Amino acid sequence: MTRRILLVTNATRAALRRHTRDLAVLFGRAGLHVAMLPEDIEALEAGDVRGVVAADPDRPADGAEVVCVLGGDGTILRAADMVRGSGVPVLGVNFGHVGFLAQAEQDELGDTAQQILDADYAVQERVALDVVARDGGVEIARRWALNEVTVEKASRERMLELILEIDGRPLSSWAGDGVIVATPTGSTAYAFSAGGPVVWPDVEALLLVPISAHALFARPVVVSPDSRIAVELVAGTEGRGVMWCDGQRPLDLPGSARIEVTRSATPVLLAQLASEAFTDRLVNKFALPVHGWRGSPVAEATTVGDRSAQDGLEPVRPTGTPDLDGRVGQLW
């Protein structure tokens, strides 16, 4: 039986188009079928690459064992939305900036390709959010999110007045720029920038983070993953609101809108390449200062980069041009 993967990329970037085409050639020579969206095949001029087939835009992950994404967090979020509910895990290679959703960096592309060929990865479930927007009790939109749902003011000159409800009881109201409802995965994204806590991704919880609230009590709150959260816009105020899910799919909100957020019954599946400690991931991504740490020799030997006790931790991974001629060079 021929194996199949779905390859997703940010085709607007010339460098990514080249790396994606090279990866498609590599997988094709290894005997894999590589499914890509028709527009990506056209942009990459990959129609003549052996093994490349056009995916059904409505069901792109059909028959695939993994979704390999080349790009930043935005491209990975787009891919997760594209294959939602398919049961196919998403594996991201970071060609963006921070890239918290990615499992590998661009200089590790060759090793990542080999692990995909060997099916050498685990699958991790991440909490996702279901979102329903109502106006006067009537449903006007239904969305989902992996990182966060935000209810924000639509114009700079007007504050947004809202009230927050948890499990059917009011918690607080305030005026400000809005509020973020985030998952642990999203705790290092917009919620982090707004002053929310970093939450380990295997913790089951939901985060509530006010955005520039003009109030004495406006602290981030962590609640049960089974909590029912609602954000209501205070009727009669001049500020207008807009809802975003993962920074995408905006929805202009009527003046008396109610946004209901719950944990989704359909988690997002992420392919995990290695058992990297989340602590090491934070150190690498944020270049945190850890010099002078005197941990156990065993623990230090297993940190990112396998640095010795005398050298300490390397806070930032090196970046460079991916080398597909390394471990997988024999397939060319």
Side-chain angles (χ1 to χ4, degrees), residues 161-165 170-174 179 230-234:
E161 293 189 50
L162 52 83
I163 185 166
L164 187 65
E165 172 191 301
L171 177 66
S172 184
S173 63
W174 65 77
V179 65
V231 180
E232 292 185 352
L233 303 189
V234 177

Side-chain angles (χ1 to χ4, degrees), residues 151-162 174-178 211-214 233-234 236-242:
V151 177
E152 304 177 36
K153 65 180 185 180
S155 58
R156 180 180 177 83
E157 66 274 11
R158 298 289 184 185
M159 288 193 296
L160 189 66
E161 293 189 50
L162 52 83
W174 65 77
D177 288 357
I211 309 172
S212 301
H214 193 69
L233 303 189
V234 177
T237 57
E238 296 184 1
R240 306 297 292 179
V242 59

